């Protein structure tokens, strides 16, 4: 009988206990959306044209293995095509990785706070999250604030650890891991523990001490790289991500992937994006310059801002977070609050930076 509550059908306990994923709030009216780390520039005309052309074939299933796109990505970054697995955004690819390598009760180690999808994906895979606090900068006058504590993450690895997630640059705080600390960390990780280097914001990194992750991948059989077309490539609405892994590992990840998970439109858009990387790199450079202007403006106001290498800035506001986020939204700049911790401000249009700096000055 419809409307009768059935208390006998039970969800898995891990699912009932899942934290909710909180997306960036959508603005109303003419407010700037600085809450989702999106690229504020619309796709170039050539990508839009590819999307329109591909839409004519939406009555057909897409290439299940995204063969042409996989080969193009492999050629673009210099690996073999059988080492690339494409999926419906890097979050979906991460879920496939965890499904392939995590047994019920296995531990997955990651820094915290980091990407909020991590504990959700781990729980869905049946694993247990091991959250390692970020460095707070107390030992170096704030220089290391918001950085992953790789030494502590290595200490947290046990016989139950299956996977370690290294988000670099770290979302939502912004710092990148450096080559010396990553080398030291990997030297301590057992060879049977998978290390996922999540590089969603790779293209925005300008720190000369940042590692060459492809070289790290070449030297470490237990390392895989997670990347996306959502940020620098401006295809967030189409959901294309990929993992770079050794063939045996890639085959396992591919086996867990949702059949036909990447639409034909998304595949063609990503292919078109790879053909105009010079144009997209100009946009990235503009965002990096705007990031510097935002950081400099905040520091001139007296804020302590972690050294971000992504397309966002982190302000640790603690108990003031919700109030400040609401004030920013009321002024026309919608940011992403993390209750009781701080706000993440995406780098957007120049006018958005001006507006947010004006609001932030009132909080001092």
């Amino acid at each position: 009988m419809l409307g009768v509550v059935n208390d006998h059908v039970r969800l898995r306990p891990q699912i009932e206990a899942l934290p909710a994923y909180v997306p960036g709030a959508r603005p109303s009216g003419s407010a700037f959306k600085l809450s989702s780390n999106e690229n504020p520039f619309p796709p170039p005309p050539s990508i839009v044209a590819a999307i329109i052309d591909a839409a004519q074939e939406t009555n057909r299933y897409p290439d299940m293995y995204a063969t042409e796109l996989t080969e193009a990505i492999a050629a673009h970054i210099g690996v073999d095509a059988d080492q690339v697995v494409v999926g419906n955004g890097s979050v979906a690819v991460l879920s496939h990785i965890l499904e392939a390598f995590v047994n019920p009760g296995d531990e997955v180690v990651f820094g915290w706070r980091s990407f909020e999808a991590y504990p959700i994906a781990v729980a869905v895979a049946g694993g247990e999250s091991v959250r390692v606090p970020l460095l707070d900068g107390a030992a170096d006058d704030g220089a290391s604030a918001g950085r992953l504590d790789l030494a502590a993450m290595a200490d947290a690895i046990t016989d139950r650890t299956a996977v370690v997630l290294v988000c670099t640059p770290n979302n939502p705080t912004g710092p990148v891991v450096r080559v010396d600390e990553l080398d030291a960390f990997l030297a301590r990780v057992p060879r049977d523990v998978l290390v996922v280097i999540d590089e969603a914001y790779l293209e925005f990194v300008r720190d000369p001490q940042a590692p060459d992750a492809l070289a790290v991948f070449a030297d470490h059989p237990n390392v895989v790289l997670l990347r996306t077309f959502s940020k620098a490539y401006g295809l967030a609405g189409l959901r294309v991500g990929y993992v770079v892994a050794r063939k045996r590992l890639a085959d396992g990840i591919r086996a867990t992937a949702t059949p036909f998970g990447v639409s034909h439109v998304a595949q063609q858009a990503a292919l078109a994006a790879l053909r105009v990387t010079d144009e997209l790199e100009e946009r990235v450079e503009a965002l990096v310059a705007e990031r510097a202007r935002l950081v400099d403006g905040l520091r001139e106001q007296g804020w302590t801002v972690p050294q971000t290498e992504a397309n966002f800035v982190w302000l640790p506001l603690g108990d003031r977070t919700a109030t400040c986020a609401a004030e920013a939204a009321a002024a026309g700049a919608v940011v992403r609050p993390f209750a009781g911790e701080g706000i993440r401000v995406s780098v957007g249009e120049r006018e958005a930076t001006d507006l947010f700096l004006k609001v932030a000055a009132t909080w001092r």
Side-chain angles (χ1 to χ4, degrees):
M1 178 177 173
L2 293 178
V4 175
V5 176
N6 187 337
D7 289 330
H8 300 289
V9 179
R10 300 293 184 187
L11 291 167
R12 287 169 47 206
Q14 298 95 326
I15 302 304
E16 291 189 310
L18 282 179
Y21 184 95
V22 181
R26 303 187 73 84
S28 59
S30 59
F32 293 103
K33 187 182 180 187
L34 307 179
S35 55
S36 295
N37 297 343
E38 297 156 332
N39 191 320
F41 302 112
S46 60
I47 297 180
V48 174
I51 291 171
I52 293 171
D53 288 346
Q56 314 301 316
E57 301 178 60
T58 50
N59 58 308
R60 305 292 184 186
Y61 284 109
D63 175 1
M64 191 166 95
Y65 298 111
T67 307
E68 186 180 3
L69 177 58
T70 296
E71 292 174 349
I73 291 170
H76 181 66
I77 65 176
V79 299
D80 296 333
D82 59 13
Q83 295 179 315
V84 176
V85 183
V86 175
N88 184 31
S90 62
V91 177
V93 178
L94 172 64
S95 294
H96 301 326
I97 293 170
L98 297 176
E99 290 163 3
F101 296 98
V102 175
N103 289 301
D106 282 352
E107 295 175 344
V108 179
V109 175
F110 50 86
W112 196 254
R113 174 167 292 274
S114 193
F115 183 32
E116 65 181 307
Y118 289 166
I120 299 173
V122 170
V124 171
E128 297 182 9
S129 294
V130 177
R131 308 183 193 198
V132 178
L134 304 180
L135 293 167
D136 60 12
D140 51 19
D141 295 324
S144 63
R147 296 179 58 78
L148 295 181
D149 189 344
L150 289 182
M153 289 172 65
D155 291 339
I157 295 173
T158 71
D159 292 340
R160 295 175 56 199
T161 304
V163 178
V164 180
L165 306 177
V166 178
C167 187
T168 178
N170 185 54
N171 177 14
T173 56
V176 70
V177 302
R178 290 177 176 151
V179 63
D180 55 346
E181 59 185 353
L182 183 61
D183 287 345
F185 168 74
L186 291 172
R188 295 182 57 193
V189 177
R191 295 180 63 184
D192 61 346
V193 172
L194 185 75
V195 177
V196 179
I197 301 180
D198 185 348
E199 297 187 293
Y201 303 94
L202 167 68
E203 292 83 1
F204 301 99
V205 175
R206 296 296 179 270
D207 187 341
Q209 297 181 63
D212 176 350
L214 283 166
V216 174
F217 164 75
D219 291 340
H220 297 274
N222 62 328
V223 166
V224 302
L225 311 180
L226 187 59
R227 296 180 174 181
T228 183
F229 282 83
S230 293
K231 310 302 182 184
Y233 289 89
L235 300 182
L238 289 177
R239 317 305 303 129
V240 185
Y242 64 95
V243 62
V244 182
R246 294 296 195 283
K247 181 181 183 303
R248 182 178 69 84
L249 305 185
D251 289 344
I253 297 167
R254 194 177 291 109
T256 71
T258 304
F260 309 107
V262 183
S263 73
H264 179 62
V265 172
Q267 292 181 37
Q268 293 304 309
L271 281 165
L274 289 174
R275 290 192 285 267
V276 292
T277 53
D278 289 346
E279 184 174 354
L280 293 172
E281 285 171 4
E282 291 178 5
R283 297 176 175 210
V284 169
E285 286 299 329
L287 289 173
V288 169
E290 193 61 23
R291 175 183 74 193
R293 200 170 74 87
L294 175 57
V295 170
D296 290 346
L298 290 169
R299 288 177 175 165
E300 288 171 4
Q301 293 177 5
W303 294 100
T304 299
V305 181
Q307 185 56 50
T308 179
E309 291 292 331
N311 67 333
F312 54 81
V313 172
W314 172 252
L315 279 183
L317 294 168
D319 293 341
R320 303 170 60 198
T321 295
T323 299
C324 291
E327 291 177 358
V334 179
V335 299
R336 173 65 171 90
F338 294 81
E341 298 179 62
I343 62 172
R344 188 191 65 200
V345 185
S346 302
V347 178
E349 301 86 344
R350 186 176 183 85
E351 297 80 6
T353 300
D354 292 339
L355 176 59
F356 180 75
L357 287 174
K358 182 179 179 179
V359 175
T362 69
W363 300 336
R364 297 299 300 172

